[in-house]
Amino acid sequence: MSSKFAHNIVHKKKTYLIVIFLITTMSYGQTTKYNQYWGEMQFNRTISEKWSAELDLATSYSSTASSPNIFEKNTQRSFRGWGHYYLSPRWKLSSFIGYFSNKDVPEIGQFESPEWRFALQAIYYFHKTGYTLSTRMRTELRHMKNEDDTYENVIRYRQQIKYIQPINSKFLRKGVIYAIASDEIFLKSETKVTGLSFFDRNRLNIGAGYLFTDDIQVEITYANEYLPRDNNNQIVNAASLTITFNNLFKNLEKKFLHKPEEKHDE
């Protein structure tokens, strides 16, 4: 091998390394990171052996480029009404309609985009002794306002896998602490309001929950989201708090309005 040929190979390798370095640096430089808080309250009501209803109220806050405070700006408020049908011990079918108020927050590149959302969902449970593994499939129709003040329809598909591990018991019940881990990918149609990328985001959740009673539980998780966008990719680190009440008003009625039967002397 001639010295000139060897020199050309070395030069090309250096060129490739420089190009790879520049691409990596540019990708990192175009990625913006935000710290956020997501809060949600869920109210579930049993209707029959097969059916239940649910109301979700949620809000989210975000830091900005000028402030690391996760409560600096309120970015979204929402409510969703659910219907759940328990097809079998392994299959749960659901649907919801909800309204999402996406706030005008220029500091994080978000414009005001109110949204109505309709979804169909199916969850399959792999019941195992000592832990639960499930996979969730959800298709969403999002009717969103874009920057031109016109509404667009966005189709989004979400696929999640979730693992729940009780810590101090084999089953989820009152007084049990449990660990949670999940990962979810989001795929969407190409529109002006959400961008041209087919891959919407990836969301990783890790955390724990506690059941105060069989009908009241709290979950605290850390969420990491990667969002590829046309002009500026985003990474979101979020602290998430979810409080769930099952049959809340029915239980309160039993506790405060139920009158004990009077005892009669015989």
Side-chain angles (χ1 to χ4, degrees):
M1 181 182 296
S2 66
S3 60
K4 184 177 181 180
F5 182 75
H7 176 75
N8 289 337
I9 292 177
V10 172
H11 178 72
K12 287 181 179 180
K13 286 184 177 180
K14 287 183 178 179
T15 303
Y16 292 151
L17 289 174
I18 292 172
V19 170
I20 292 172
F21 175 78
L22 288 175
I23 292 174
T24 304
T25 304
M26 289 174 63
S27 298
Y28 181 79
Q30 292 176 346
T31 299
T32 305
K33 296 183 179 180
Y34 297 108
N35 299 317
Q36 297 186 351
Y37 167 79
W38 303 341
E40 184 173 354
M41 297 187 70
Q42 301 176 349
F43 300 90
N44 297 292
R45 167 90 183 196
T46 301
I47 298 175
S48 66
E49 183 179 348
K50 289 286 188 177
W51 288 92
S52 68
E54 179 181 338
L55 174 65
D56 294 350
L57 305 175
T59 187
S60 63
Y61 292 82
S62 179
S63 66
T64 63
S66 60
S67 173
N69 181 7
I70 64 174
F71 295 100
E72 182 66 20
K73 292 290 183 177
N74 178 224
T75 60
Q76 184 188 78
R77 290 179 180 173
S78 67
F79 70 86
R80 292 180 295 174
W82 288 84
H84 301 291
Y85 177 70
Y86 302 87
L87 181 65
S88 70
R90 292 189 179 274
W91 282 103
K92 178 182 176 182
L93 307 179
S94 307
S95 180
F96 79 73
I97 185 170
Y99 178 77
F100 294 74
S101 176
N102 301 303
K103 305 292 185 178
D104 184 25
V105 190
E107 294 89 343
I108 65 171
Q110 177 175 299
F111 58 91
E112 185 178 3
S113 178
E115 168 190 355
W116 284 96
R117 191 181 302 180
F118 172 76
L120 296 174
Q121 175 178 286
I123 300 178
Y124 183 80
Y125 296 93
F126 302 88
H127 294 294
K128 303 292 182 180
T129 302
Y131 70 92
T132 298
L133 184 67
S134 64
T135 181
R136 186 179 74 187
M137 298 146 280
R138 180 189 296 176
T139 300
E140 299 175 331
L141 172 62
R142 308 172 68 190
H143 189 61
M144 307 176 66
K145 188 173 78 171
N146 60 30
E147 291 179 281
D148 297 330
D149 288 335
T150 60
Y151 280 82
E152 292 185 89
N153 291 322
V154 183
I155 303 295
R156 186 166 69 177
Y157 176 75
R158 301 168 56 169
Q159 181 72 52
Q160 181 199 70
I161 185 167
K162 185 175 183 179
Y163 177 83
I164 297 178
Q165 172 71 62
I167 304 299
N168 55 335
S169 175
K170 290 185 178 181
F171 306 98
L172 295 177
R173 53 185 175 82
K174 178 182 177 180
V176 171
I177 301 171
Y178 57 95
I180 313 165
S182 68
D183 191 72
E184 186 173 16
I185 59 171
F186 298 63
L187 307 174
K188 63 176 178 59
S189 59
E190 298 178 359
T191 59
K192 183 174 182 178
V193 67
T194 59
L196 301 178
S197 173
F198 175 67
F199 178 73
D200 185 44
R201 69 190 67 191
N202 184 82
R203 178 182 295 171
L204 172 69
N205 273 283
I206 300 175
Y210 178 73
L211 283 89
F212 290 95
T213 70
D214 292 338
D215 293 319
I216 302 176
Q217 67 187 78
V218 173
E219 292 183 356
I220 300 175
T221 63
Y222 159 75
N224 176 272
E225 275 195 340
Y226 170 67
L227 301 83
R229 292 297 180 259
D230 298 338
N231 299 321
N232 187 19
N233 297 333
Q234 295 181 13
I235 293 178
V236 173
N237 297 297
S240 176
L241 172 65
T242 302
I243 304 175
T244 302
F245 298 94
N246 296 319
N247 299 309
L248 175 63
F249 299 106
K250 186 177 180 180
N251 291 334
L252 290 176
E253 183 180 358
K254 286 182 179 180
K255 184 175 182 179
F256 295 106
L257 299 182
H258 179 69
K259 296 181 180 180
E261 295 182 0
E262 297 182 359
K263 294 183 178 180
H264 301 280
D265 296 331
E266 294 183 357

